[in-house]
Amino acid sequence: VQLQASGGGLVQAGGSLRLSCAASGRTFRDYAMGWFRQVPGKEREIVAAISRSGSTYYADSVKGRFSLSRDNAKNTLSLQINSLKPEDTAVYYCAAARPRTVYRGTYYVNPSEYDYWGQGTLVTVSS
């Protein structure tokens, strides 16, 4: 599967953005998906993840502000980001994980569990 992330930009603190990840192929529904972010000098960290059945996970730092959803009919993963903070500034990556279990409710939080990555989209939050 090929992933194309978009929606990043420059926004003031307190603002909102909607990141999108378009996936190619007809098997999008068979992948668990996730959004990660990375700043220079730091490891890539999980932001949010969603299972094949739609179960979601959020990092503590984004709970209540970020909302992850998937549209299997449109092969699209979306991340709504509200109440942005300067510390949210990073390159955001979407990723897809091949199924490792028949249980569709599994999501993954480690970068090593993902098999495909988008190119990243930069989110810059000014104070």
Side-chain angles (χ1 to χ4, degrees):
V1 62
Q2 292 185 322
L3 304 174
Q4 181 73 35
S6 62
L10 174 63
V11 63
Q12 289 187 331
S16 298
L17 282 174
R18 187 173 183 86
L19 305 186
S20 294
C21 178
S24 64
R26 295 177 293 176
T27 59
F28 175 74
R29 66 178 66 248
D30 293 334
Y31 292 88
M33 302 294 296
W35 282 97
F36 291 77
R37 65 187 181 187
Q38 189 170 24
V39 298
K42 292 191 176 182
E43 294 185 352
R44 194 167 295 189
E45 65 175 5
I46 184 72
V47 173
I50 189 166
S51 72
R52 290 177 287 162
S53 67
S55 299
T56 53
Y57 165 90
Y58 296 95
D60 288 343
S61 58
V62 307
K63 280 180 181 177
R65 301 188 297 121
F66 288 23
S67 179
L68 180 62
S69 61
R70 65 188 299 162
D71 186 335
N72 291 334
K74 296 182 178 180
N75 285 7
T76 300
L77 181 73
S78 298
L79 184 68
Q80 178 66 39
I81 308 175
N82 299 323
S83 303
L84 277 158
K85 304 176 181 180
E87 51 264 42
D88 294 320
T89 295
V91 177
Y92 285 70
Y93 298 90
C94 61
R98 289 194 297 261
R100 291 168 173 78
T101 172
V102 297
Y103 177 55
R104 297 182 61 84
T106 301
Y107 48 71
Y108 304 97
V109 300
N110 294 311
S112 62
E113 296 176 300
Y114 286 80
D115 303 289
Y116 304 97
W117 293 85
Q119 85 287 4
T121 185
L122 176 62
V123 172
T124 304
V125 184
S126 63
S127 56

